[in-house]
Amino acid sequence: VKRVQVLTALRVTGYSALGWREVFRSLRLRTGSVYDREVLRGARARLKERYAQNGYPDARIRSRTLRRAGEVEVEIVIDEGEPQRVRAIVATGDTGLPPETLQRALRRFVGQPHRRAMRREGERTLLGLLR
């Protein structure tokens, strides 16, 4: 019989750009589950990818573990870094509408962190104007 280590506590600090629900959903770590170092490494990678998708490509995710007989407590420390922001939007091409009209429709994205979903949202906005 071999004693397995069980995750007994999980603390996450340093997040403000993402909500707690999104952070914990990305980690996929649950107390009461068997602790595995590779699972923890995958959790950190998933969370780093989620931050990159939300405009924080330089986010650093560190973890500390406190091990006791059969128990492991994990603390995740997040350093979000500076977000990559949209500085300008330029519309080009022959669309039948003046470029200024298209750029004005997308101005709400200027100054925001560059998220992966922005492209889809921008396309939907522009298609609404062009129809």
Side-chain angles (χ1 to χ4, degrees), residues 61-119:
I61 315 296
R62 296 185 325 255
S63 61
R64 293 183 218 151
T65 57
L66 175 63
R67 297 174 192 214
R68 295 187 199 126
E71 298 179 353
V72 178
E73 294 179 10
V74 175
E75 180 180 10
I76 306 288
V77 180
I78 301 170
D79 178 15
E80 294 176 337
E82 288 297 313
Q84 188 178 46
R85 296 192 181 275
V86 175
R87 296 196 188 258
I89 295 176
V90 179
T92 61
D94 184 23
T95 61
L97 289 174
E100 297 80 25
T101 303
L102 300 175
Q103 291 167 340
R104 196 173 339 145
L106 299 173
R107 72 176 175 250
R108 72 175 187 261
F109 296 123
V110 176
Q112 298 295 319
H114 182 260
R115 296 176 296 117
R116 184 178 74 170
M118 274 185 165
R119 183 174 179 173

Side-chain angles (χ1 to χ4, degrees), residues 11-128:
R11 285 183 295 282
V12 182
T13 60
Y15 62 93
S16 64
L18 298 180
W20 68 269
R21 197 171 265 140
E22 190 171 6
V23 168
F24 280 89
R25 190 178 304 137
S26 297
L27 285 173
R28 294 186 209 155
L29 295 173
R30 303 290 177 260
T31 57
S33 63
V34 176
Y35 172 75
D36 183 6
R37 186 177 297 155
E38 292 302 314
V39 171
L40 181 59
R41 187 173 292 137
R44 286 194 319 255
R46 279 190 305 276
L47 189 55
K48 182 166 177 53
E49 177 64 26
R50 175 65 71 182
Y51 268 100
Q53 291 171 354
N54 282 290
Y56 291 82
D58 299 327
R60 291 184 317 170
I61 315 296
R62 296 185 325 255
S63 61
R64 293 183 218 151
T65 57
L66 175 63
R67 297 174 192 214
R68 295 187 199 126
E71 298 179 353
V72 178
E73 294 179 10
V74 175
E75 180 180 10
I76 306 288
V77 180
I78 301 170
D79 178 15
E80 294 176 337
E82 288 297 313
Q84 188 178 46
R85 296 192 181 275
V86 175
R87 296 196 188 258
I89 295 176
V90 179
T92 61
D94 184 23
T95 61
L97 289 174
E100 297 80 25
T101 303
L102 300 175
Q103 291 167 340
R104 196 173 339 145
L106 299 173
R107 72 176 175 250
R108 72 175 187 261
F109 296 123
V110 176
Q112 298 295 319
H114 182 260
R115 296 176 296 117
R116 184 178 74 170
M118 274 185 165
R119 183 174 179 173
R120 270 192 318 268
E121 293 170 14
E123 287 174 356
R124 282 189 211 125
T125 301
L126 291 178
L127 283 174

